[in-house]
């Protein structure tokens, strides 16, 4: 079996320098995370609040923790003191709560707007109309303790390359339109989080700036 250290160092070499790697460590123990950490990896992604809190408490303090899952508003407070990026923000209500908790912690929290680009039915993720409605809201301007760092999306679970590439390219066009309309002068609006173990190469070719890779680094998850 390939070791985590080997997988991690291979990824660090393989991925172009302008693309950030989020090592998705969900369900994996601390010793696995440390193995990747020792190769120089500093960005890790989790999708359960309790796991993220426990890991952040016990692992090195220079890790940047990204929350990549759906976040319930009542749990924002647990990760607000330290989380470095929220990947899956898809409502004004959540943005408002993140702003409130960020303010309490005297910091700014970066958030990506999650778009629904896949064909599968899911209640998560925005369409363009909904995203524009949020950004155009008067109340949005009052949220001084959040920063919108870009967009995030997940492609359809399929092996069909064209389907996946089309969805990624759709996300890139959403990014460009939002950039031109709402974030022209905002340098912070720059990330396109797309690409996982099965499709990161296509994602990078389509314009990803951030890939979220789990099983290709840590091995299959058993849940
Ligand atoms: C689990 C997960 C990933 C990583 O998936 P792999 O296929 O293991 O690389 C990426 N993004 C999100 C949102 C996830 O939940």
């Amino acid at each position: 079996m390939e070791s985590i250290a080997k997988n991690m160092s291979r990824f660090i070499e393989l991925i172009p320098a302008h693309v950030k790697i989020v090592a998705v460590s969900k369900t994996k123990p601390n010793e696995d995370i440390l193995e990747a950490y020792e190769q120089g990896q500093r960005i890790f992604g989790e999708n359960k609040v309790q796991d993220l809190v426990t890991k952040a408490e016990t692992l090195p303090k220079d890790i940047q923790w990204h929350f990549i899952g759906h976040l319930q508003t009542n749990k924002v407070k647990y990760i607000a003191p330290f989380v470095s990026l929220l990947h899956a923000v898809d409502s004004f209500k959540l943005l408002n709560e993140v702003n409130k908790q960020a303010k309490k912690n005297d910091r700014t929290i970066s958030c990506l707007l999650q778009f629904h680009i896949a064909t599968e039915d899911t209640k998560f993720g925005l369409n363009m109309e909904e995203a524009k409605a949020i950004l155009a809201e008067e109340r949005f301007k009052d949220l001084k303790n959040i920063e919108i760092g870009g967009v995030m999306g997940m492609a359809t679970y399929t092996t069909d390359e064209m389907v996946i590439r089309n969805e990624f390219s759709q996300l890139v066009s959403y990014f460009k339109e939002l950039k031109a309309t709402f974030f022209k002068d905002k340098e912070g609006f720059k990330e396109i989080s797309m690409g996982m173990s099965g499709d990161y190469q296509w994602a990078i070719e389509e314009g990803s700036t951030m890939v979220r890779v789990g099983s290709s680094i840590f091995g299959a998850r058993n849940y």
Side-chain angles (χ1 to χ4, degrees):
M1 212 184 82
E2 293 273 285
S3 74
I4 294 167
K6 220 178 195 171
N7 291 339
M8 191 69 249
S9 64
R10 191 162 42 85
F11 257 95
I12 291 171
E13 260 176 51
L14 188 86
I15 302 293
H18 70 277
V19 178
K20 297 188 181 94
I21 306 169
V22 180
V24 176
S25 50
K26 62 190 187 195
T27 78
K28 299 296 179 182
N30 283 3
E31 68 229 48
D32 288 10
I33 296 173
L34 283 171
E35 208 174 317
Y37 179 89
E38 276 152 21
Q39 299 305 309
Q41 180 65 20
R42 290 295 179 270
I43 305 177
F44 291 88
E46 292 283 332
N47 70 344
K48 296 259 183 331
V49 166
Q50 189 50 57
D51 291 348
L52 175 51
V53 169
T54 310
K55 287 174 179 178
E57 273 170 6
T58 49
L59 284 160
K61 296 304 168 205
D62 63 342
I63 289 178
Q64 298 163 44
W65 291 104
H66 289 196
F67 193 78
I68 61 168
H70 178 71
L71 182 56
Q72 289 169 274
T73 46
N74 62 341
K75 293 190 174 167
V76 174
K77 57 178 177 284
Y78 302 115
I79 60 174
F82 65 89
V83 74
S84 107
L85 182 64
L86 303 177
H87 282 245
V89 175
D90 65 356
S91 71
F92 181 84
K93 184 173 165 233
L94 181 55
L95 276 176
N96 194 41
E97 178 63 17
V98 173
N99 183 69
K100 183 176 142 194
Q101 297 300 333
K103 196 170 179 177
K104 266 192 194 165
N105 286 280
D106 197 21
R107 62 185 297 242
T108 300
I109 297 178
S110 290
C111 304
L112 305 182
L113 295 176
Q114 181 181 6
F115 279 88
H116 182 220
I117 53 172
T119 52
E120 287 120 2
D121 252 352
T122 140
K123 51 188 193 299
F124 303 132
L126 301 161
N127 61 36
M128 195 55 174
E129 199 183 334
E130 292 164 336
K132 282 179 169 170
I134 291 174
L135 298 171
E137 269 207 51
E138 205 47 48
R139 295 183 296 166
F140 176 74
K141 297 188 185 70
D142 299 332
L143 308 182
K144 307 285 189 212
N145 291 73
I146 55 154
E147 176 177 60
I148 306 293
V151 300
M152 177 271 206
M154 265 187 284
T156 299
Y157 189 73
T158 172
T159 51
D160 189 331
E161 178 177 349
M162 282 322 291
V163 168
I164 294 175
R165 280 187 183 270
N166 274 329
E167 291 168 358
F168 286 154
S169 134
Q170 181 74 64
L171 186 62
V172 171
S173 74
Y174 290 157
F175 172 85
K176 287 181 177 160
E177 190 180 342
L178 291 182
K179 180 81 188 170
T181 315
F182 297 97
F183 299 99
K184 221 180 209 150
D185 312 315
K186 297 266 197 296
E187 269 176 45
F189 187 84
K190 58 172 196 249
E191 304 292 359
I192 303 175
S193 167
M194 61 184 193
M196 314 186 357
S197 290
D199 54 22
Y200 67 87
Q201 279 146 322
W202 301 327
I204 291 169
E205 284 171 22
E206 297 297 333
S208 172
T209 68
M210 203 175 251
V211 290
R212 309 177 309 270
V213 180
S215 43
S216 291
I217 295 169
F218 296 104
R221 289 176 297 273
N222 34 9
Y223 62 81

